[in-house]
Amino acid sequence: MEPFPWKMKVYSDKSRHLVAVDCIIFGYDILEKEIKLLLFKRMFEPAKGKWSLAGGFVDNNESLDAAASRILRKLTGLDPVYMKQSFTYGETDRDPGSRVISVAYFALIPITDIDKDLAEENGVSWCSLAKLPDLIFDHPLMVNRALRDLQNQVMFKPVGFELLPDKFTLVQLQDLYEAIYQRKVDKRNFRKKILSMGILEKLDEKESETSKKGAYYYKFNEDTYKRLKENGFYFNMDVN
Amino acid sequence: MEPFPWKMKVYSDKSRHLVAVDCIIFGYDILEKEIKLLLFKRMFEPAKGKWSLAGGFVDNNESLDAAASRILRKLTGLDPVYMKQSFTYGETDRDPGSRVISVAYFALIPITDIDKDLAEENGVSWCSLAKLPDLIFDHPLMVNRALRDLQNQVMFKPVGFELLPDKFTLVQLQDLYEAIYQRKVDKRNFRKKILSMGILEKLDEKESETSKKGAYYYKFNEDTYKRLKENGFYFNMDVN
DNA sequence: AAATTTAAATGTAAAGAATACACTTAAAAA
DNA sequence: TTTTTAAGTGTATTCTTTACATTTAAATTT
């Protein structure tokens, strides 16, 4: 027997909607010191051939988070990345093809991580935030809000590390923050602040590509961070 | 001729979903000094007769914001209130009746504003946050997140005033903050901080119900706030 | 092998913000 | 007139943020 006798009946007169997930995928180009966005060329109408965010429709037996992961995986080959819901866009005319409600997610991945073959096959490419092409629909809105989300996130949570390789120099970390905040920060104050938290581990190894002296590599110590957090510590990189 | 020939066809194989809006409606009880939530008894299956948030389905030609406004209006008789999208809940099994994706909104209204007849007719009542009844589905999750949203909002935006009458005393304002933050704050530091912003206007009138001496009424000066904001001022009530 | 070049690394003083804290005042009621 | 009650007020201390310039390490050049 059907466990919910009213099932299918009770909601039957209500409108049903196409629900999409669009992913604002941020990457950090460590050489060009720029935040980039993973965009791709739409391969179907409407707006076929135009640049858009990575998106797709939510299936019947799939949560929103699962749909976002699936879409990201399909386009980048990546699985467990940093991903958070951003905002849901529901204007009736936002997609000229049909009424589509879209849940935006923002994701952080190191640029090096992306599968090049998959990227090519999907018409995917990294575009620097500074000079984005025209995006379809309300995708520019989505990008703006997600960038704000990102700025808030890196200020109060240690998620910037998701955009860097496992080991990184303090210079690289600062460059990342400057790219996200879109302003310069003071070197000594930045270092004082991040190091005083005690969540970075200095390695016995130097990065020697970009300077003669070489800069020490550090890595983020997640365990230490978790322990501190349990004791009431709050991450804060609101630095000048 | 149909302006979009691919319309209706291109997305035709995609799942369609019921999309709901649930409203976490906060009110402030100035006498009991408590944040309250507007709840109501479901009048249909599933979970008929159980307590739930104010909710409803999104219609075909209606944006999410419009749906949220409509639902609020229907249940409270109120029109232009402070209302913001909170989060979208999309677990496949979150509503046992059917797969429903729900966009949560949180709203702030002064308790006095609500239309009593409408409230009665809809089975609506204010419940203190401290002792909420069991709520259906994932509504407890929604409340938790919305409360966090509210705490963040009042800290960095002058929205607490939405929960108070036009004129209020500093004691009342502080009580409100304490109710939202769920902790005591220092009286002198609180006053110093809020008054130093210069966005409150002292009236020549006292509230004389609650004390012999009487406390001066103030009102929030929105114009001044807007002017200050344009000049780079940031509201901040992160007080001890 | 000495001098030069380049970017990494480092500390301190001053200003501003957050905190802790207790008595006085106004007005009604006794 | 005294008592009661809640409103209103200021300062010193600590902590945080900011501003700012020189030294150091290592490779490259002379």
Side-chain angles (χ1 to χ4, degrees), chain A residues 11 17 62 88 95 99, chain B residues 11 17 58 62 88 95 99:
Chain A
Y11 297 146
H17 305 273
E62 183 185 54
T88 300
D95 180 330
R99 200 267 165 98
Chain B
Y11 296 147
H17 305 272
V58 176
E62 181 185 55
T88 301
D95 181 331
R99 201 268 164 96

Side-chain angles (χ1 to χ4, degrees), chain A residues 182-198:
Chain A
Q182 305 187 326
R183 61 179 168 84
K184 288 264 168 225
V185 309
D186 182 89
K187 188 178 185 175
R188 283 179 284 189
N189 294 339
F190 179 85
R191 284 164 179 246
K192 200 193 318 169
K193 198 154 195 175
I194 192 77
L195 288 176
S196 71
M197 294 184 194

